[in-house]
Amino acid sequence: MATKLKVKKGDKVVVITGRDKGKTGEIIEVQPAANRVKVRGVNMAKHHQKQSMQTPGGIIEKEATIHVSNIAHIDPKTQKPTRIGYRIDGDAKVRVSRRSGEKID
């Protein structure tokens, strides 16, 4: 069974380890079963595309997945990496930044 991820599509994140360390981007796809995400402009891989009626052939670059442990959410107030916590706000559970306490959702 997959674990619950604290990141969602559209979140702003920064890469904290690996080849693309320090790069920031927006999450474009989340794969909770594999604990992986795709981040726009990060972990670019070359893919050999066969020509078809709709697309030309050649070598294209596209985002590859990155493990969720290698990214950190960006704090909306300070623009620095932060961890995510949860808080009950009225009758709704909302995500909050551990660094500043700012609501994320």
Side-chain angles (χ1 to χ4, degrees):
M1 187 167 143
T3 58
K4 181 171 179 352
L5 301 181
K6 295 184 177 186
V7 293
K8 294 181 181 177
K9 182 177 176 179
D11 285 349
K12 304 288 186 216
V13 294
V14 61
V15 179
I16 55 176
T17 62
R19 182 182 68 195
D20 295 320
K21 180 177 180 177
K23 287 188 181 178
T24 60
E26 177 183 342
I27 294 180
I28 54 176
E29 184 183 336
V30 179
Q31 299 171 354
N35 285 332
R36 298 184 83 79
V37 295
K38 279 188 184 178
V39 181
R40 189 177 315 281
V42 174
N43 199 21
M44 300 301 285
K46 292 188 186 309
H47 179 73
H48 294 259
Q49 180 84 27
K50 186 175 181 180
Q51 183 176 356
S52 69
M53 295 293 278
Q54 293 84 15
T55 60
I59 300 173
I60 60 169
E61 280 200 45
K62 57 196 305 190
E63 291 92 358
T65 60
I66 187 169
H67 198 269
V68 74
S69 67
N70 295 336
I71 61 169
H73 206 278
I74 294 180
D75 188 6
K77 187 183 258 186
T78 63
Q79 301 301 314
K80 292 184 178 178
T82 183
R83 292 178 297 140
I84 303 295
Y86 289 99
R87 183 170 47 205
I88 305 298
D89 192 24
D91 59 347
K93 184 178 175 182
V94 295
R95 296 184 304 162
V96 294
S97 166
R98 292 280 186 162
R99 184 180 284 267
S100 66
E102 190 81 13
K103 189 174 7 175
I104 293 171
D105 295 328

